[in-house]
C-alpha cells in the first residue's frame, strides 16, 4: 500500500527512543540511557508538537482562520514550528525573539516566511528592561497590547500559558515513551523553557507510576542565556530553581511543574558532552539536549540506579548551534 504524506502535520511525533549503547559502554554506566530523539519532528524540534497543538486548538475553538496573523514570543523552536505550520496552513506569523539567540534561529524563521522582531522593539518591553522592572506577566501584557493595537487581527498564541502546550506532552510524548519502553521507565530527565514538556510528562508519568523520578535540568548561573561573561550558554531553556529565580520572572508552568530533583549543568560540560556524543554515537545534539545528557550520565552512574531505565528528552539537534562555540571549533 502506498504511504504518501500530504501535510507536514502528519510528520509530528512518533519520534524514536534511542539507547545510547556505545556511551553506556564507554563510561561504564550502570543504568540504561534512552534518548527521545525529538529532532525527528518536521521542523526539527520537540516544539513542533506544541506549535501544531496550539494551532489546532485555536482553529477548533474558532479563534483563528487562515489569513490571520499569529504572534508568538519564543526563544526559537516554537517559532520555527509555528512558522512551518503557519506556512502550510495559510497563516501569517510574527515572532518576538530575544536578541541573544543563535543566528541560525533567526535565519530559519525568515526562511519559512515569518516576520521576526526583537522583543526590545516593543516599546513597553524596552522601557521595562531599561528600568529593570521585568516580569513575565508584564511581558505578556505588553505583547497583548501590541496585538490589540494592530489594524488587522493579530492572535497571540502564547505558549507560556497556553494549556495546549503541556497537554500535547501528556497526550503524545508521554504515551509514545511509555509504549516504546514497554512501561519500563524509572527516571525521566528533561530541561525546561516554558515548562510545557516537563509539566505534561511529569503528570503523565506520575499517574502511571508515582515512583518514577523526575529530574529537571537547568543551566548553572554563568551558563544561562543572557550571561554576558560566558559565551558557553545553554540556549532555549530557563532556570526554575534557586534563590535568584523569582516566580515573577518565570512562565506560569515553570512555577508549578512537579519534579524530584534539580541538576545544574555548566555550558562547558554541555558543549564537550555534545561533541563527545556526536563522535561516539553519531547523534548530533542541540544545547539543551546535550545539557540533559550531562545530567543523565550523572544519574546513570549512581550505584542505586543499576539496571534502571533513564529516559532523556532530547529537544533538538546541533544544526542551530553550528555558529556557537559548541561546534564552531
Ligand atoms: N530545549 C530547547 C532547545 C527548546 O527550544 C525548548 C523550548 N524553549 C526547551 C528545551 C524546553 O521546552 P519547554 O518549553 O517545553 O519547557
Amino acid at each position: 500500500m502506498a504511504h504518501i504524506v500530504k501535510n507536514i502535520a502528519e510528520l509530528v511525533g512518533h519520534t524514536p527512543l534511542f539507547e545510547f549503547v556505545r556511551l553506556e559502554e564507554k563510561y561504564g554506566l550502570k543504568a540504561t540511557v534512552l534518548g527521545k530523539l525529538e529532532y525527528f519532528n518536521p521542523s526539527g524540534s520537540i516544539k513542533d508538537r506544541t506549535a501544531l497543538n496550539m494551532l489546532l486548538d485555536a482553529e477548533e475553538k474558532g479563534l483563528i482562520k487562515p489569513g490571520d496573523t499569529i504572534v508568538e514570543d519564543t526563544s526559537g523552536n516554537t517559532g520555527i514550528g509555528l512558522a512551518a505550520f503557519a506556512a502550510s496552513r495559510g497563516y501569517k506569523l510574527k515572532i518576538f525573539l530575544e536578541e541573544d539567540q543563535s543566528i541560525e534561529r533567526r535565519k530559519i524563521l525568515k526562511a519559512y516566511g515569518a516576520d521576526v522582531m526583537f522583543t526590545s522593539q516593543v516599546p513597553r518591553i524596552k522601557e521595562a528592561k531599561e528600568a529593570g522592572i521585568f516580569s513575565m506577566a508584564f511581558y505578556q501584557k505588553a505583547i497583548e497590547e501590541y496585538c490589540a493595537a494592530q489594524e488587522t487581527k493579530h492572535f497571540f498564541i502564547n505558549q507560556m500559558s497556553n494549556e495546549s502546550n503541556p497537554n500535547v506532552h501528556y497526550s503524545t510524548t508521554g504515551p509514545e515513551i511509555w509504549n516504546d519502553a514497554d512501561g519500563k521507565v524509572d527516571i525521566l530527565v528533561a530541561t525546561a523553557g516554558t515548562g510545557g514538556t516537563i509539566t505534561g510528562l511529569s503528570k503523565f508519568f506520575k499517574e502511571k507510576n508515582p515512583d518514577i523520578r523526575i529530574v529537571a535540568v537547568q543551566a548553572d548561573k554563568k551558563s544561562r542565556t543572557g550571561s554576558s561573561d560566558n559565551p558557553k550558554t545553554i540556549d532555549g531553556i530557563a532556570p526554575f530553581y534557586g534563590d535568584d529565580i523569582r516566580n515573577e520572572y518565570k512562565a506560569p508552568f515553570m512555577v508549578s511543574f512537579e519534579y524530584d530533583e534539580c541538576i545544574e549543568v555548566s555550558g562547558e560540560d554541555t558543549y564537550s558532552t555534545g561533541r563527545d556524543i556526536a563522535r561516539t554515537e553519531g547523534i548530533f545534539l542541540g544545547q539543551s539536549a546535550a545539557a540533559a545528557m550531562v545530567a543523565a550520565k550523572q544519574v546513570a552512574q549512581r550505584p542505586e540506579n543499576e539496571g534502571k531505565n533513564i529516559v532523556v528528552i532530547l529537544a533538538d539537534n546541533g544544526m542551530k548551534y553550528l555558529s556557537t562555540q559548541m561546534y564552531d571549533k
Side-chain angles (χ1 to χ4, degrees):
M1 257 257 281
H3 180 72
I4 294 163
V5 175
K6 302 231 173 177
N7 188 288
I8 57 161
E10 296 169 50
L11 300 173
V12 177
H14 305 288
T15 55
L17 195 61
F18 177 89
E19 181 176 349
F20 286 88
V21 175
R22 290 170 60 83
L23 208 71
E24 287 163 8
E25 278 169 16
K26 184 169 172 180
Y27 294 100
L29 302 181
K30 297 192 165 51
T32 298
V33 179
L34 303 172
K36 181 75 167 154
L37 302 184
E38 286 294 300
Y39 57 81
F40 276 76
N41 282 300
S43 88
S45 89
I46 192 165
K47 300 302 297 204
D48 278 350
R49 296 179 190 262
T50 299
L52 179 63
N53 201 39
M54 291 194 302
L55 283 175
L56 292 177
D57 283 356
E59 284 174 355
E60 216 168 274
K61 290 177 183 147
L63 299 170
I64 51 170
K65 55 174 188 340
D68 288 348
T69 301
I70 298 180
V71 175
E72 183 58 308
D73 166 32
T74 165
S75 66
N77 277 328
T78 304
I80 292 168
L82 281 171
F85 299 118
S88 79
R89 302 177 95 74
Y91 295 98
K92 298 184 200 79
L93 182 69
K94 192 169 196 83
I95 291 296
F96 290 102
L97 200 67
E98 292 291 332
E99 267 146 298
D100 51 12
Q101 298 296 317
S102 72
I103 183 74
E104 290 87 341
R105 285 170 159 75
R106 221 180 305 162
K107 290 193 169 180
I108 296 169
L109 286 165
K110 288 188 173 166
Y112 281 118
D115 186 9
V116 180
M117 239 175 114
F118 291 128
T119 45
S120 57
Q121 289 174 285
V122 178
R124 291 198 59 206
I125 292 181
K126 183 171 184 278
E127 285 160 26
K129 279 187 172 171
E130 281 166 4
I133 51 167
F134 175 84
S135 82
M136 190 55 71
F138 179 90
Y139 213 86
Q140 293 189 325
K141 195 150 178 283
I143 295 176
E144 262 158 27
E145 281 173 10
Y146 168 87
C147 292
Q150 303 307 304
E151 273 171 33
T152 54
K153 184 174 171 187
H154 281 54
F155 179 76
F156 181 24
I157 204 155
N158 201 359
Q159 59 171 336
M160 303 289 178
S161 55
N162 189 326
E163 291 292 336
S164 311
N165 172 10
N167 288 352
V168 77
H169 298 293
Y170 180 83
S171 63
T172 71
T173 322
E176 287 171 26
I177 293 169
W178 191 254
N179 291 336
D180 286 346
D182 215 8
K184 189 170 175 348
V185 177
D186 300 295
I187 300 166
L188 176 82
V189 178
T191 54
T194 64
T197 305
I198 203 157
T199 298
L201 290 181
S202 180
K203 182 165 182 276
F204 176 84
F205 286 115
K206 291 283 181 187
E207 276 174 18
K208 283 283 176 202
N209 174 0
D211 295 335
I212 294 176
R213 212 174 148 73
I214 310 291
V215 177
V217 181
Q218 70 179 20
D220 68 15
K221 268 188 200 167
K222 66 178 196 333
S223 311
R224 292 174 190 165
T225 313
S227 303
S228 50
D229 56 340
N230 182 15
K232 292 184 176 147
T233 56
I234 306 172
D235 273 7
I237 60 172
F240 48 87
Y241 174 81
D243 298 342
D244 54 329
I245 308 302
R246 305 219 312 261
N247 279 352
E248 64 261 37
Y249 295 157
K250 299 194 231 169
F253 304 125
M254 295 288 268
V255 179
S256 57
F257 69 76
E258 244 192 272
Y259 62 101
D260 300 293
E261 180 181 354
C262 169
I263 294 185
E264 280 210 340
V265 303
S266 71
E268 281 81 5
D269 287 348
T270 296
Y271 287 18
S272 61
T273 297
R275 292 192 292 269
D276 179 37
I277 290 173
R279 289 158 201 197
T280 308
E281 295 276 10
I283 295 275
F284 183 43
L285 295 177
Q287 291 181 354
S288 76
M293 286 299 292
V294 173
K297 273 176 63 190
Q298 275 179 34
V299 175
Q301 264 150 349
R302 296 177 186 162
E304 70 269 24
N305 292 332
E306 176 119 39
K308 290 188 179 165
N309 271 2
I310 302 175
V311 172
V312 196
I313 304 300
L314 304 173
D316 66 2
N317 73 8
M319 295 295 187
K320 271 177 244 115
Y321 309 93
L322 288 170
S323 69
T324 72
Q325 284 194 19
M326 186 169 182
Y327 294 116
D328 189 20
K329 277 205 145 203

